[in-house]
Amino acid sequence: MQYVEMIVKETLRMHPPACFYLRKAGVDTPLVSSDLVVPARATVLISPRTVHMDPKLYPDPHVFDPERFSPENSAKRHPFAFIPFAMGMRACPGRKFAMLSLKAVISKIIWNFRILPDETYEPELLWGLSMATSNGMRIKLLKR
Ligand code: HEM
């Protein structure tokens, strides 16, 4: 089950369903990553995918590699390097339920089926408030 969790997290890293979310600075907020200060009352757009694709945090960011989320490798990164559910007081309250459901459903599927790509299909990503595709999601399921 730990490896399924690593697969789910790597998928959420590369394809976070929430493309962006907004936060308003309550006070002047210096950034730890630069000399910039976010002024009080400024609205900040946070893009989890931009963070998740930073090669300083995730080398070869376009490669799907669940090992990035082994307990040892996760411990080496800042907790805010993985933000599909946002962080802080307005973080997703459903995140634990979402992770549990995803792990349960995916485990059940791979217990019963082999999942193969459909070679004739290339998903066309649509970036809106949440991520989707314009041409569905086609996979092949082979009964074990
Ligand atoms: C993979 C699944 C999910 C992802 C990636 C996700 C992601 C997020 C993100 C990024 C936010 C912050 C949005 C913002 O501040 O604009 C959020 C908020 C929220 N999520 Fe989720 N979510 C997921 C599943 C769920 C589930 C299963 C529930 C409920 C059972 C849920 C309930 C909520 C609620 C109520 C908020 C608003 C919290 C607030 O504004 O204080 N989410 N979610």
Side-chain angles (χ1 to χ4, degrees), residues 12 17-18 21-23 84-86 89-94 97-98 102:
L12 289 172
Y21 36 88
L22 304 170
R23 294 290 181 266
F85 298 107
M89 288 172 68
R90 301 304 293 266
C92 175
F97 177 70
L102 285 166

Side-chain angles (χ1 to χ4, degrees), residues 5-137:
E5 175 162 334
M6 289 158 60
I7 290 172
V8 171
K9 286 186 172 172
E10 178 64 344
T11 307
L12 289 172
R13 179 188 73 81
M14 293 184 78
H15 301 295
C19 295
F20 66 88
Y21 36 88
L22 304 170
R23 294 290 181 266
K24 195 167 185 177
V27 293
D28 288 350
T29 308
L31 298 183
V32 287
S33 55
S34 71
D35 298 335
L36 297 174
V37 175
V38 178
R41 295 182 300 283
T43 298
V44 180
L45 185 149
I46 300 164
S47 157
R49 193 166 193 269
T50 306
V51 175
H52 295 172
M53 286 290 162
D54 183 342
K56 289 199 287 296
L57 299 170
Y58 300 98
D60 297 322
H62 292 278
V63 174
F64 184 85
D65 178 11
E67 288 299 328
R68 301 179 200 274
F69 289 97
S70 68
E72 310 78 60
N73 288 335
S74 296
K76 290 180 203 155
R77 278 190 305 269
H78 193 285
F80 284 29
F82 182 64
I83 50 171
F85 298 107
M87 280 289 186
M89 288 172 68
R90 301 304 293 266
C92 175
R95 59 195 181 278
K96 289 203 171 141
F97 177 70
M99 285 301 293
L100 207 59
S101 313
L102 285 166
K103 284 192 284 182
V105 170
I106 290 168
S107 306
K108 187 76 177 166
I109 292 172
I110 54 182
W111 187 259
N112 291 295
F113 297 95
R114 288 181 63 212
I115 305 176
L116 301 173
D118 176 346
E119 295 83 2
T120 63
Y121 164 78
E122 186 65 36
E124 284 167 18
L125 297 182
L126 278 183
W127 300 84
L129 197 55
S130 59
M131 193 190 283
T133 65
S134 60
N135 57 347
M137 181 54 69

